[in-house]
Amino acid sequence: KVMDADGGLHLIMLDDSGFELDPVAVAENEKQAYEATFGKVHPELTAILPAVEENEAVPVIIWMRTGEVASLERPDPTVPLTKGAAAEFEAQVNFARQEAVRISVEPMAQELANAGFAVSVDEETPVIYAELDTATIDQLSRHADVDTIYLDEVNEPNLSTARVVVRADIVNGLGF
């Protein structure tokens, strides 16, 4: 970023030779390179797929694309809301979001269930949790309504390697 004489900030991107680059074009090139390498399959899942047996089930999270959430008339910001009115508006927003998620998730979840896969969904987030074979993962990676397919794994805390550094080893040794 560069500040002009009037205090305005401007983004300037330079290459190794000092020539100016277009940040939008750079971002688009990076996006295209990522998609060419991984497609819709997250890199962590891509890394383990070659070692997976053909019929072995892999736990995945399928993030679906969603359409527009129905727009709601917002309350007038100059008029104070009662707790009841705020709760009612929040309920309307939640319902609209849940409906958008249901519309985007339900057809694929039903298709996978009909194919014999156990699936579960979240009513607030456009995701499907399932255990799928590699052929189905590959097939889904080409589906227009799928955004990204992630490996579903339990995240392990990294604190165990840093306990001594942050002096948490004493607290951890006490059972906390």
Side-chain angles (χ1 to χ4, degrees):
K1 294 183 181 182
V2 176
M3 184 181 298
D4 63 23
D6 298 326
L9 292 176
H10 304 276
L11 176 66
I12 296 179
M13 186 178 282
L14 305 174
D15 66 9
D16 292 341
S17 303
F19 292 105
E20 188 173 354
L21 298 172
D22 177 10
V24 175
V26 170
E28 184 60 32
N29 289 342
E30 285 182 7
K31 181 181 175 190
Q32 289 175 0
Y34 179 91
E35 289 175 356
T37 304
F38 300 109
K40 295 180 180 182
V41 180
H42 190 267
E44 288 181 8
L45 180 55
T46 300
I48 70 151
L49 286 178
V52 174
E53 296 292 326
E54 186 176 326
N55 293 324
E56 184 180 347
V58 178
V60 296
I61 302 170
I62 307 158
W63 194 282
M64 303 297 293
R65 296 185 190 279
T66 56
E68 291 294 317
V69 176
S71 63
L72 301 172
E73 185 175 331
R74 294 177 181 254
D76 183 351
T78 62
V79 177
L81 278 179
T82 64
K83 285 187 178 182
E88 181 181 331
F89 183 68
E90 183 179 3
Q92 291 173 357
V93 169
N94 289 340
F95 178 78
R97 177 67 185 152
Q98 290 170 357
E99 188 64 12
V101 166
R102 185 191 65 73
I103 289 168
S104 68
V105 168
E106 196 173 84
M108 180 63 71
Q110 190 61 50
E111 186 178 322
L112 291 169
N114 290 345
F117 297 105
V119 299
S120 62
V121 299
D122 185 293
E123 63 182 31
E124 299 283 336
T125 311
V127 296
I128 302 170
Y129 301 92
E131 291 192 7
L132 306 175
D133 56 48
T134 56
T136 304
I137 293 169
D138 182 55
Q139 186 179 22
L140 287 177
S141 72
R142 293 188 298 273
H143 198 286
D145 293 335
V146 172
D147 183 77
T148 308
I149 306 171
Y150 299 92
L151 178 63
D152 187 6
E153 60 184 350
V154 176
N155 291 321
E156 297 294 329
N158 292 329
L159 185 58
S160 63
T161 60
R163 285 187 177 115
V164 176
V165 174
V166 297
R167 298 182 186 245
D169 54 334
I170 297 168
V171 175
N172 185 252
L174 294 173
F176 296 98

